Coordinates of all heavy atoms in Angstrom, one line a residue:
A257 N -14.5 -3.0 18.9 CA -13.6 -3.5 17.8 C -13.1 -2.4 16.9 O -12.0 -2.6 16.3 CB -14.4 -4.5 16.9
K258 N -13.7 -1.2 16.9 CA -13.3 -0.2 16.0 C -11.8 0.2 16.3 O -11.1 0.4 15.3 CB -14.2 1.1 16.1 CG -15.5 0.9 15.5 CD -16.3 2.2 15.4 CE -16.5 3.0 16.7 NZ -17.4 4.2 16.5
G259 N -11.4 0.3 17.5 CA -10.1 0.6 17.9 C -9.1 -0.4 17.3 O -8.0 0.0 16.8
E260 N -9.4 -1.6 17.4 CA -8.5 -2.7 16.9 C -8.4 -2.6 15.4 O -7.4 -2.8 14.8 CB -9.0 -4.1 17.3 CG -8.9 -4.3 18.8 CD -7.5 -4.2 19.3 OE1 -6.5 -4.8 18.7 OE2 -7.2 -3.6 20.4
V261 N -9.5 -2.3 14.7 CA -9.6 -2.2 13.3 C -8.7 -1.0 12.8 O -7.9 -1.1 11.9 CB -11.0 -2.1 12.8 CG1 -11.0 -1.7 11.3 CG2 -11.8 -3.4 13.0
Q262 N -8.8 0.1 13.5 CA -8.0 1.3 13.2 C -6.6 1.1 13.5 O -5.7 1.6 12.8 CB -8.6 2.5 13.9 CG -9.8 3.0 13.2 CD -10.3 4.3 13.8 OE1 -10.6 4.4 15.0 NE2 -10.4 5.3 12.9
K263 N -6.2 0.2 14.5 CA -4.8 -0.1 14.7 C -4.2 -0.9 13.6 O -3.1 -0.7 13.1 CB -4.7 -0.9 16.0 CG -4.3 -0.2 17.2 CD -3.9 -1.1 18.3 CE -4.8 -0.9 19.5 NZ -4.6 -1.8 20.6
Q264 N -5.0 -1.8 13.1 CA -4.6 -2.7 11.9 C -4.5 -1.9 10.6 O -3.6 -2.1 9.9 CB -5.5 -3.9 11.8 CG -5.2 -4.8 10.6 CD -3.9 -5.5 10.8 OE1 -3.5 -5.8 11.9 NE2 -3.2 -5.7 9.7
W265 N -5.5 -1.1 10.4 CA -5.6 -0.3 9.1 C -5.7 1.2 9.5 O -6.7 1.8 9.5 CB -6.8 -0.7 8.3 CG -6.7 -2.1 7.8 CD1 -6.0 -2.6 6.7 CD2 -7.3 -3.3 8.3 NE1 -6.1 -3.9 6.6 CE2 -6.9 -4.4 7.6 CE3 -8.2 -3.5 9.4 CZ2 -7.3 -5.7 7.8 CZ3 -8.6 -4.8 9.7 CH2 -8.2 -5.9 8.9
G266 N -4.5 1.7 9.7 CA -4.4 3.1 10.2 C -4.9 4.2 9.3 O -5.2 5.3 9.8
K267 N -5.1 3.9 8.0 CA -5.6 4.9 7.1 C -7.1 5.1 7.2 O -7.6 6.0 6.7 CB -5.2 4.5 5.7 CG -3.7 4.7 5.4 CD -3.4 4.4 3.9 CE -2.0 4.5 3.6 NZ -1.7 4.2 2.2
L268 N -7.8 4.1 7.9 CA -9.2 4.2 8.0 C -9.5 5.3 9.1 O -9.0 5.3 10.1 CB -9.8 2.9 8.5 CG -9.7 1.7 7.5 CD1 -10.3 0.5 8.0 CD2 -10.3 2.1 6.1
T269 N -10.4 6.2 8.7 CA -10.8 7.3 9.6 C -12.0 7.0 10.4 O -12.7 5.9 10.2 CB -11.2 8.5 8.7 OG1 -12.4 8.2 7.9 CG2 -10.0 8.9 7.7
D270 N -12.3 7.9 11.3 CA -13.5 7.7 12.1 C -14.8 7.7 11.3 O -15.7 6.9 11.5 CB -13.7 8.8 13.2 CG -12.6 8.6 14.3 OD1 -12.2 7.5 14.6 OD2 -12.3 9.7 15.0
D271 N -14.8 8.5 10.2 CA -15.9 8.5 9.3 C -16.0 7.2 8.6 O -17.1 6.7 8.4 CB -15.7 9.6 8.2 CG -16.0 11.0 8.8 OD1 -16.6 11.1 9.9 OD2 -15.6 12.0 8.2
D272 N -14.9 6.6 8.2 CA -14.9 5.2 7.6 C -15.5 4.2 8.6 O -16.3 3.4 8.2 CB -13.5 4.7 7.3 CG -12.8 5.5 6.2 OD1 -13.5 6.0 5.3 OD2 -11.6 5.6 6.2
M273 N -15.2 4.3 9.9 CA -15.7 3.4 10.9 C -17.3 3.6 10.9 O -18.0 2.6 11.1 CB -15.1 3.7 12.2 CG -13.7 3.4 12.4 SD -13.3 1.7 12.1 CE -12.4 1.7 10.6
D274 N -17.7 4.8 10.8 CA -19.2 5.0 10.8 C -19.9 4.4 9.6 O -21.0 3.9 9.7 CB -19.5 6.5 10.9 CG -19.1 7.1 12.2 OD1 -18.9 6.4 13.2 OD2 -19.0 8.4 12.3
V275 N -19.2 4.5 8.5 CA -19.7 3.9 7.2 C -19.7 2.3 7.4 O -20.7 1.7 7.0 CB -18.9 4.3 6.0 CG1 -19.2 3.4 4.8 CG2 -19.1 5.7 5.7
I276 N -18.7 1.8 7.9 CA -18.5 0.3 8.0 C -19.6 -0.3 8.9 O -20.2 -1.3 8.6 CB -17.1 0.0 8.5 CG1 -16.1 0.4 7.4 CG2 -17.0 -1.5 8.8 CD1 -14.7 0.4 7.9
E277 N -19.8 0.3 10.1 CA -20.9 -0.1 11.1 C -20.8 -1.6 11.3 O -21.9 -2.2 11.5 CB -22.3 0.3 10.6 CG -22.5 1.7 10.4 CD -23.9 2.1 9.9 OE1 -24.4 1.3 9.1 OE2 -24.4 3.1 10.3
G278 N -19.6 -2.2 11.4 CA -19.5 -3.6 11.7 C -19.8 -4.6 10.5 O -19.8 -5.8 10.7
E279 N -20.0 -4.0 9.3 CA -20.2 -4.9 8.2 C -18.9 -5.3 7.5 O -18.2 -4.4 7.1 CB -21.1 -4.2 7.2 CG -22.5 -3.8 7.7 CD -23.4 -5.0 8.0 OE1 -23.2 -6.1 7.3 OE2 -24.2 -5.0 9.0
R280 N -18.7 -6.5 7.4 CA -17.4 -7.0 6.8 C -17.2 -6.5 5.4 O -16.1 -6.1 5.0 CB -17.4 -8.6 6.9 CG -16.1 -9.2 6.6 CD -16.2 -10.7 6.6 NE -14.9 -11.3 6.7 CZ -14.0 -11.5 5.7 NH1 -14.3 -11.0 4.5 NH2 -12.9 -12.1 5.9
E281 N -18.2 -6.6 4.5 CA -18.1 -6.2 3.1 C -17.8 -4.7 3.1 O -17.0 -4.3 2.2 CB -19.3 -6.5 2.3 CG -19.5 -8.0 2.0 CD -18.3 -8.5 1.2 OE1 -17.9 -7.9 0.2 OE2 -17.7 -9.6 1.6
K282 N -18.3 -3.9 3.9 CA -18.0 -2.5 4.0 C -16.6 -2.2 4.4 O -15.9 -1.3 3.9 CB -19.0 -1.7 4.8 CG -20.4 -1.6 4.3 CD -21.3 -0.9 5.2 CE -22.8 -0.8 4.6 NZ -23.7 -0.1 5.6
L283 N -16.1 -3.0 5.4 CA -14.7 -2.9 5.8 C -13.8 -3.2 4.6 O -12.9 -2.5 4.3 CB -14.4 -3.8 7.0 CG -13.0 -3.9 7.4 CD1 -12.4 -2.6 7.8 CD2 -12.8 -5.0 8.5
S284 N -14.1 -4.3 3.9 CA -13.3 -4.7 2.8 C -13.3 -3.5 1.7 O -12.2 -3.2 1.2 CB -13.9 -5.9 2.1 OG -13.1 -6.3 1.0
G285 N -14.4 -2.9 1.5 CA -14.5 -1.8 0.5 C -13.7 -0.6 0.9 O -13.0 0.0 0.1
Q286 N -13.8 -0.3 2.2 CA -13.0 0.9 2.7 C -11.5 0.6 2.7 O -10.7 1.5 2.4 CB -13.5 1.2 4.1 CG -14.9 1.7 4.2 CD -15.2 3.0 3.4 OE1 -15.8 2.9 2.4 NE2 -14.6 4.1 3.9
I287 N -11.1 -0.6 3.0 CA -9.7 -1.0 2.9 C -9.2 -0.8 1.5 O -8.2 -0.3 1.2 CB -9.4 -2.4 3.5 CG1 -9.7 -2.4 5.0 CG2 -8.0 -2.8 3.1 CD1 -9.7 -3.8 5.6
Q288 N -10.0 -1.3 0.5 CA -9.7 -1.3 -0.9 C -9.5 0.2 -1.3 O -8.5 0.6 -2.0 CB -10.8 -1.9 -1.8 CG -10.9 -3.4 -1.6 CD -12.2 -3.9 -2.3 OE1 -12.4 -3.6 -3.5 NE2 -13.0 -4.5 -1.6
A289 N -10.4 1.1 -0.9 CA -10.4 2.5 -1.3 C -9.2 3.2 -0.6 O -8.5 3.9 -1.3 CB -11.7 3.2 -0.9
R290 N -8.9 3.0 0.6 CA -7.9 3.7 1.3 C -6.5 3.2 1.0 O -5.5 4.0 0.9 CB -8.0 3.6 2.8 CG -9.2 4.3 3.4 CD -9.0 5.8 3.4 NE -10.2 6.4 3.9 CZ -10.6 7.6 3.5 NH1 -10.0 8.3 2.6 NH2 -11.7 8.1 4.0
Y291 N -6.4 1.9 0.7 CA -5.0 1.4 0.4 C -4.8 1.1 -1.1 O -3.7 0.7 -1.4 CB -4.8 0.1 1.2 CG -4.6 0.4 2.7 CD1 -5.7 0.5 3.5 CD2 -3.4 0.6 3.2 CE1 -5.6 0.8 4.9 CE2 -3.2 1.0 4.6 CZ -4.3 1.1 5.4 OH -4.1 1.4 6.7
G292 N -5.8 1.2 -1.9 CA -5.6 1.0 -3.4 C -5.3 -0.4 -3.7 O -4.5 -0.7 -4.5
I293 N -6.0 -1.3 -3.0 CA -5.7 -2.8 -3.2 C -7.0 -3.4 -3.8 O -8.1 -2.9 -3.7 CB -5.2 -3.5 -2.0 CG1 -6.3 -3.4 -0.8 CG2 -3.9 -2.9 -1.5 CD1 -5.9 -4.2 0.4
A294 N -6.8 -4.6 -4.3 CA -7.9 -5.4 -4.9 C -8.8 -6.0 -3.8 O -8.3 -6.2 -2.6 CB -7.4 -6.5 -5.8
K295 N -10.0 -6.4 -4.1 CA -10.9 -7.0 -3.1 C -10.3 -8.3 -2.5 O -10.4 -8.5 -1.3 CB -12.2 -7.3 -3.8 CG -13.3 -7.9 -2.8 CD -14.6 -8.1 -3.5 CE -15.7 -8.6 -2.6 NZ -15.4 -9.1 -1.3
D296 N -9.7 -9.1 -3.3 CA -9.2 -10.4 -2.8 C -8.1 -10.1 -1.8 O -7.9 -10.8 -0.8 CB -8.7 -11.3 -3.9 CG -7.7 -10.8 -4.8 OD1 -7.5 -9.6 -4.9 OD2 -7.0 -11.6 -5.4
E297 N -7.3 -9.1 -2.0 CA -6.2 -8.7 -1.1 C -6.8 -8.2 0.2 O -6.3 -8.5 1.3 CB -5.2 -7.7 -1.7 CG -4.1 -7.2 -0.7 CD -3.2 -8.3 -0.1 OE1 -3.2 -9.4 -0.6 OE2 -2.6 -8.0 0.9
A298 N -7.8 -7.3 0.1 CA -8.4 -6.8 1.3 C -9.1 -7.9 2.1 O -8.9 -7.9 3.3 CB -9.5 -5.7 0.9
D299 N -9.7 -8.8 1.4 CA -10.4 -10.0 2.1 C -9.3 -10.8 2.8 O -9.5 -11.3 3.9 CB -11.2 -10.8 1.2 CG -12.5 -10.1 0.7 OD1 -12.9 -9.1 1.4 OD2 -13.0 -10.4 -0.3
R300 N -8.2 -11.0 2.1 CA -7.1 -11.8 2.7 C -6.6 -11.1 4.0 O -6.4 -11.8 5.0 CB -5.9 -12.0 1.7 CG -4.8 -12.9 2.3 CD -3.5 -12.8 1.5 NE -2.9 -11.5 1.6 CZ -2.3 -11.0 2.6 NH1 -2.2 -11.7 3.7 NH2 -1.8 -9.8 2.6
Q301 N -6.4 -9.8 4.0 CA -5.9 -9.1 5.1 C -6.9 -9.2 6.3 O -6.5 -9.4 7.4 CB -5.7 -7.6 4.8 CG -4.5 -7.4 3.9 CD -4.2 -5.9 3.7 OE1 -4.7 -5.1 4.4 NE2 -3.4 -5.6 2.7
I302 N -8.2 -9.1 6.0 CA -9.2 -9.3 7.0 C -9.2 -10.7 7.6 O -9.2 -10.8 8.8 CB -10.6 -8.9 6.4 CG1 -10.7 -7.5 6.1 CG2 -11.7 -9.3 7.5 CD1 -12.0 -7.1 5.2

């Protein structure tokens, strides 16, 4: 799934993927940090 996630959110790095480890909340947090968006927007995108 990491490849598909990185296709969708291209600013996420391999290091981000290691941090996320398949955890939805961590993905949301990394998207918020990389894209400068609010939690509700990151969750909507997911």
